[in-house]
Amino acid sequence: MTLGPALILLGLFDRATAQRGLGRILVVFGRVPLFYYVLHLYLLNILARLAALAFHQPIFHGTVIADFAQRPLGYGHGLPFIYVMWILAVALLYLPCRWFMELRARHRDWFGSAICDGPLLLRL
């Protein structure tokens, strides 16, 4: 797909209202993207360690991104397992993200906005 059809779809989705269904769920994540991003890093780390414990794999093997060391035989998981963990992570983060979205909506004063939106000096 080129940029033209993507921009047309973006315009159509921009006018769509998220009253119910999947759109309503996606709006929650779309309103707090940095909060979701930071939380998902910690959650995925915890889930990876729990999965390693459950499958009797080394917990601390491969924690560095650029780890080119030899992996033990049988280390890792298949793609279906990864998809299940991804869906689980998104489902677990929905309620905290919705809480933070509602917190941001309630606190539109300067102090709440500074806490929820980032440093005040960066927004000037």
Side-chain angles (χ1 to χ4, degrees):
M1 182 185 325
T2 62
L3 191 56
L7 290 175
I8 291 171
L9 287 175
L10 179 63
L12 292 173
F13 289 141
D14 189 39
R15 282 185 264 152
T17 59
Q19 299 296 329
R20 56 189 152 81
L22 182 62
R24 187 174 180 185
I25 293 170
L26 293 177
V27 164
V28 170
F29 293 116
R31 288 191 178 158
V32 290
L34 182 62
F35 185 75
Y36 172 81
Y37 178 75
V38 171
L39 280 185
H40 104 281
L41 292 176
Y42 290 105
L43 179 64
L44 290 181
N45 192 340
I46 291 168
L47 288 177
R49 292 181 191 276
L50 288 175
L53 280 173
F55 289 98
H56 305 290
Q57 296 176 345
I59 296 173
F60 296 107
H61 185 79
T63 56
V64 179
I65 293 173
D67 184 13
F68 297 111
Q70 187 82 12
R71 303 249 190 299
L73 287 176
Y75 184 79
H77 303 282
L79 196 56
F81 181 81
I82 300 301
Y83 282 146
V84 167
M85 296 307 279
W86 171 66
I87 291 169
L88 177 66
V90 171
L92 287 174
L93 290 179
Y94 174 74
L95 289 177
C97 287
R98 191 177 78 185
W99 169 80
F100 192 68
M101 179 187 76
E102 292 168 356
L103 177 75
R104 286 186 62 187
R106 284 191 312 264
H107 292 17
R108 285 295 174 194
D109 53 341
W110 73 271
F111 182 72
S113 180
I115 290 174
C116 296
D117 293 336
L120 183 63
L121 293 176
L122 293 177
R123 292 184 288 121
L124 295 178

